[in-house]
Amino acid sequence: MRKIIGSIILCALTASAAWAQEISISVAANPQRAVVGQHIRLVVTIEGKVNLKGSPRLPNLPEFQVYEGGRSSNFSFVNGRISSALKFTYVLVPKGVGTFTIGPVQIDHAGRTYSTQPIKIQVGSSGQAVPPSGPARSQAVQPGPRAKPPKTGTLPGTSRHAGKGAFVTTSVDRNRVYVNEPVILTFRFFSRIRLLSQPQYQPPDTSGFWAEDLPPQRNYNVRIQGQEYQVIEIKTALFPTTAGKLTINPASLVVQTRDFRRRSVDPFGDSFFQDFFSGGQQVKLSSEPINLEVKPIPREGRPKKFSGTVGQWSLSAKLDRKQARVGEALTLETRIFGEGNVKSVGKPRLPALKGFKVYETVSSSEVQKQKGRVKGVKIYRTLIRPEVTGKLTIPPIIYNYFNPRKGSFEKLEVPSLSLEVLPGKQRAMTGRSQSASEAVGSGVKVVAEDIRYLKTNFFLKPLRPWPAWVWITGFLLPPIGLFALGFWQRRQDQLASDPRYARRLRADQSARRALHQARTQRLRRDAKAFYASLSQALTWYLADHMGVSRSGITQREIVQKLRTFGAEEDMMEQLSVLFDECDFARFAPSAREAAEMERHEQQAEELLVKLGRILSKERKG
C-alpha cells in the first residue's frame, strides 16, 4: 500500500511539474575554448507549447564584448497543438585571458522566470585581439584578425587626414535612397601610433533610422601617402524610416596616447619618469556628419493593396495538409523571403476565403547578415477552419512591394490552393439510447397477473356537508380550466406556426443554461470546454433571436447581421474578438489563467444583455 501511494504521489508531482514547465530555455556556446580575438557564438534557444514572445535577458558580461548576431523564430500548429521556438544568436569577444563563467540567461513568461545553467568559457592568449561591438554604448576597440585590405583609392576621407597619428572616418555607400532602402554605414579607425589603452568607440546617433549591425569587424593595413596605418572597420545597415533630408551624426572614438608635449633631455630626470608612469594624453576623435536625401515611396503607380514593403522579395504559400474534416483547424503558411528590412515586411492580405472560418495571424522572422547585406524570411501563419464539405479553393494570394533598385512596384502571386474537406465525425447515439431504454424496461417487474379480490369487511361512515367555498370553487374551476386550456392551445398553435417566435422565447433559457455550464467548467479549470460552452451561448442566443439556423450560420455572418440591426462598431469589435478567443482556445488550446476566463465570461454576459436589447428594439420597430 505504501508503494502504491508513493507511486501516485510521484506521478502527480511529475505531472504538475510538466504542466508548470510550459517552456524551456537553453544556451550553447561554440567554441567553449577560444583565444583572444576569436568570435564565440552564443545561441539561446527558447521552446514551448505556447506562442512565445519577448527576448531573453543576458547576464552582465564585463569580460566580453557582446553584439547581436540575429534571431529566428518558428511557430507550428499540428493536430490542434501549438509549438513555437525562438533562437537568439549573440557574438561574444573576450577582452582577456582566463576562465570566465556566463551566468544564467533568463526569460519571463506567464509570471514565471525561466533560467539556463551557467556555462564556462576558457580563453587563451593570442597575438590577435578583440573586435568591437556595434551597440550604441562605449566599447573597447582592439585590432582583430587580419583581412584583405581594399584599394587605397576606395577609402573616402583619408587624403585630408594623411600624416596624422590617428583619425576616424565614416562613409555611406549611397547618399540618395528611398524610405526603408538600406544604407551601409562604414566606420574606420586609422592608427600608426602606439596606444596606451583600448580605444572607446561611441557609434553615431542614428535617429530616424532602423539600425542592424553587420558583423564581423574587418582589420587590415593600408598605406596612405607612404605611411602605414592599421585600420579597424565596422559596418552598420541603416534603414531610413521617414522621407526628407536626414543626418547621420558623427561617430567618436576616445584614445589614450603618449603625451608628446612632454620633452625630456635627461633620460634619468624627473620629467622622464613622470612621462613614463603617467596615463598619457586622452584624445577624442570624431568623424564628420553625413547628410542623406531620403525619397518617399512614389504614389504614382502604387497598387491599392501595397504592403509597404521595400526591397527584393519572393513569395510562397502552402497548407499544412491537403485533406481535413469539417471543423478541423489547419494552418495557411505564407513566406516572404529576400533582401531588405525583414522586420518591417508587411502582412499579405488574404483573399476572401469562402467556406472557411479565419482566425488570428501570427508572424515569425529569421534575419541573416551575409556579405554586408541584411537578408531573411518573414513567415505569417493563419489558422483557418473549413465549415462546409467538398473541394474548397483558396484563391491566389497577391503581394505587392516596392523595388528600390528598379524604382518601381512589383507584384508577386501564389497560385490557388485546394483542400478536400470531409464530413465531420459524428457520435453514434443509437446504441446509448437503446441501452437506456432497455435499462428502463428491465427495471419494471411484473408482480402479479391475477384479479385482486374484493374487500367486504369495511364500515360505512356518515358524510359531512361540504363548506360553501368548495361548491363555489367546483362551479368556477371548470370554466377557468377551459379558459386556461384554450389559452395554452392558442399559445402552442402560435409557437407551432411561428418557429422564430418560439426560438426567441427559448433563447434566454438556453443561453443561461450554457453560461451556467461554462461557469462550472471554469471552476474545474477546463479551459477548452469552458470556451466551447461560451461560444455556444453566444452563437445560439444570437441565432435564435435573429431566426437563423444555429449550425448554418457562421460567426462572421452573425456580426454582419448585427451591424444591419444598428449595433455599435465598438460592440461588434468586442464580439469578434471574443469569438476569436473562444475558437482559438478550442482549436489551439493552451494554459489559461482563471482570471482571464472569468473576464471573458463577464464580457459574454454583458454582450448578451446589450445585444438582446438591440434585437428587441428592432423587432418592436
Side-chain angles (χ1 to χ4, degrees):
M1 180 60 67
R2 292 180 179 178
K3 292 182 178 180
I4 294 175
I5 296 175
S7 301
I8 294 174
I9 295 174
L10 180 61
C11 292
L13 293 176
T14 304
S16 62
W19 175 259
Q21 193 73 11
E22 289 184 353
I23 67 174
S24 62
I25 179 172
S26 61
V27 63
N30 185 25
Q32 288 189 247
R33 293 186 177 182
V35 296
V36 176
Q38 185 176 1
H39 292 185
I40 300 173
R41 185 182 177 89
L42 186 72
V43 179
V44 180
T45 304
I46 307 166
E47 298 176 319
K49 295 182 179 180
V50 293
N51 188 14
L52 296 172
K53 297 180 181 179
S55 301
R57 297 193 306 275
L58 294 181
N60 186 26
L61 300 173
E63 303 88 357
F64 297 90
Q65 295 177 7
V66 184
Y67 63 92
E68 295 183 0
R71 60 166 291 177
S72 64
S73 56
N74 185 37
F75 176 88
S76 64
F77 181 84
V78 180
N79 297 328
R81 296 182 179 179
I82 289 178
S83 62
S84 58
L86 298 177
K87 185 176 291 186
F88 298 84
T89 303
Y90 303 90
V91 177
L92 307 183
V93 184
K95 297 179 180 179
V97 178
T99 300
F100 307 109
T101 300
I102 299 178
V105 181
Q106 298 179 335
I107 189 171
D108 296 328
H109 173 74
R112 296 189 58 187
T113 300
Y114 299 84
S115 305
T116 64
Q117 295 295 327
I119 58 176
K120 291 186 176 182
I121 303 293
Q122 295 183 357
V123 181
S125 61
S126 174
Q128 300 173 342
V130 183
S133 62
R137 60 179 185 270
S138 179
Q139 294 288 337
V141 177
Q142 299 178 354
R146 314 311 297 171
K148 183 178 179 180
K151 296 180 181 179
T152 306
T154 63
L155 299 180
T158 56
S159 58
R160 63 190 184 91
H161 293 289
K164 293 183 178 180
F167 62 93
V168 296
T169 63
T170 53
S171 61
V172 292
D173 60 342
R174 66 196 81 181
N175 292 92
R176 295 185 64 190
V177 292
Y178 286 97
V179 172
N180 219 6
E181 181 182 4
V183 177
I184 306 303
L185 174 69
T186 304
F187 170 85
R188 295 185 180 94
F189 169 47
F190 299 82
S191 175
R192 63 180 182 87
I193 61 176
R194 181 181 177 183
L195 304 179
L196 300 182
S197 63
Q198 303 301 330
Q200 299 297 317
Y201 170 56
Q202 183 67 42
D205 180 14
T206 54
S207 301
F209 297 88
W210 183 289
E212 287 282 357
D213 297 331
L214 295 177
Q217 167 195 304
R218 300 181 65 218
N219 303 271
Y220 51 85
N221 292 344
V222 296
R223 183 170 292 274
I224 302 175
Q225 295 185 3
Q227 294 179 328
E228 190 81 10
Y229 283 87
Q230 294 181 353
V231 184
I232 296 177
E233 182 179 280
I234 303 171
K235 289 182 178 289
T236 306
L238 301 178
F239 298 87
T241 57
T242 58
K245 293 184 178 180
L246 301 182
T247 300
I248 301 175
N249 294 314
S252 61
L253 194 75
V254 178
V255 296
Q256 202 81 11
T257 65
R258 180 181 175 185
D259 192 352
F260 293 98
R261 295 172 297 181
R262 294 179 177 270
R263 300 292 181 181
S264 175
V265 178
D266 184 3
F268 299 100
D270 294 338
S271 62
F272 176 83
F273 288 100
Q274 289 176 1
D275 185 42
F276 182 81
F277 291 104
S278 68
Q281 179 185 4
Q282 182 173 299
V283 179
K284 183 177 182 180
L285 307 175
S286 299
S287 64
E288 298 293 331
I290 300 176
N291 296 320
L292 293 180
E293 181 183 348
V294 182
K295 297 178 289 186
I297 304 299
R299 292 191 174 273
E300 183 179 355
R302 181 184 297 187
K304 293 183 179 180
K305 296 183 178 180
F306 175 52
S307 62
T309 304
V310 178
Q312 293 80 41
W313 304 97
S314 300
L315 178 69
S316 67
K318 66 177 182 178
L319 292 169
D320 61 348
R321 57 185 182 275
K322 296 183 179 180
Q323 189 181 79
R325 294 186 179 274
V326 170
E328 288 184 350
L330 61 152
T331 303
L332 172 62
E333 180 181 281
T334 307
R335 288 176 172 255
I336 303 144
F337 51 94
E339 181 178 338
N341 190 357
V342 179
K343 297 178 182 178
S344 67
V345 170
K347 182 172 67 173
R349 297 185 181 181
L350 298 180
L353 302 181
K354 296 182 179 179
F356 290 95
K357 170 65 178 178
V358 183
Y359 300 98
E360 181 184 3
T361 298
V362 295
S363 64
S364 60
S365 60
E366 182 176 348
V367 181
Q368 300 176 354
K369 303 169 184 178
Q370 300 175 352
K371 298 181 179 180
R373 292 290 183 266
V374 179
K375 302 179 179 180
V377 58
K378 191 71 170 285
I379 305 172
Y380 289 95
R381 294 181 176 88
T382 304
L383 196 66
I384 61 176
R385 178 166 58 90
E387 297 180 320
V388 295
T389 59
K391 186 175 182 180
L392 299 183
T393 301
I394 296 177
I397 300 174
I398 298 175
Y399 193 77
N400 296 287
Y401 71 95
F402 181 73
N403 189 335
R405 293 181 181 176
K406 299 180 180 179
S408 61
F409 295 92
E410 295 192 357
K411 176 182 176 181
L412 302 174
E413 183 173 347
V414 176
S416 59
L417 303 173
S418 299
L419 176 70
E420 183 182 358
V421 182
L422 305 177
K425 295 181 179 180
Q426 297 180 353
R427 298 180 179 178
M429 301 296 293
T430 308
R432 184 180 299 175
S433 301
Q434 217 170 16
S435 62
S437 61
E438 290 174 0
V440 173
S442 61
V444 178
K445 185 177 181 180
V446 180
V447 179
E449 295 181 353
D450 203 352
I451 300 175
R452 293 180 180 271
Y453 293 100
L454 297 177
K455 296 181 180 180
T456 57
N457 53 344
F458 62 90
F459 299 94
L460 295 177
K461 295 181 180 179
L463 296 176
R464 295 181 180 179
W466 289 349
W469 65 268
V470 175
W471 296 99
I472 296 174
T473 304
F475 282 110
L476 294 179
L477 190 59
I480 294 175
L482 291 174
F483 177 79
L485 182 62
F487 178 80
W488 179 83
Q489 187 62 42
R490 285 195 301 270
R491 184 61 177 268
Q492 295 299 317
D493 293 341
Q494 183 181 8
L495 295 176
S497 61
D498 191 355
R500 296 184 61 179
Y501 176 70
R503 291 179 59 190
R504 285 198 299 267
L505 291 179
R506 292 192 296 265
D508 294 340
Q509 182 179 1
S510 61
R512 284 194 297 268
R513 187 163 50 247
L515 287 175
H516 176 74
Q517 185 177 4
R519 186 175 298 108
T520 303
Q521 290 155 349
R522 173 175 62 82
L523 296 176
R524 295 175 180 174
R525 302 298 297 275
D526 189 350
K528 186 174 181 180
F530 166 76
Y531 282 102
S533 298
L534 206 63
S535 176
Q536 175 181 307
L538 291 168
T539 304
W540 286 13
Y541 178 82
L542 296 174
D544 289 344
H545 267 285
M546 291 186 292
V548 296
S549 173
R550 291 177 173 178
S551 59
I553 191 170
T554 63
Q555 295 169 355
R556 184 181 300 176
E557 292 172 349
I558 289 177
V559 174
Q560 291 175 354
K561 284 183 175 294
L562 287 173
R563 286 194 177 99
T564 61
F565 291 152
E568 297 179 358
E569 194 62 32
D570 183 41
M571 195 182 303
M572 293 301 93
E573 182 68 22
Q574 294 180 17
L575 182 62
S576 299
V577 171
L578 187 56
F579 270 140
D580 290 342
E581 286 285 346
C582 292
D583 288 340
F584 194 78
R586 291 166 59 198
F587 298 104
S590 60
R592 294 273 178 165
E593 298 292 337
E596 183 182 13
M597 290 192 292
E598 185 176 1
R599 179 173 59 84
H600 288 152
E601 180 184 344
Q602 294 176 355
Q603 187 178 6
E605 292 177 352
E606 293 175 359
L607 283 173
L608 288 177
V609 173
K610 294 178 181 178
L611 293 173
R613 293 172 182 172
I614 293 174
L615 295 173
S616 299
K617 291 180 181 179
E618 182 67 20
R619 287 196 302 271
K620 292 178 181 179

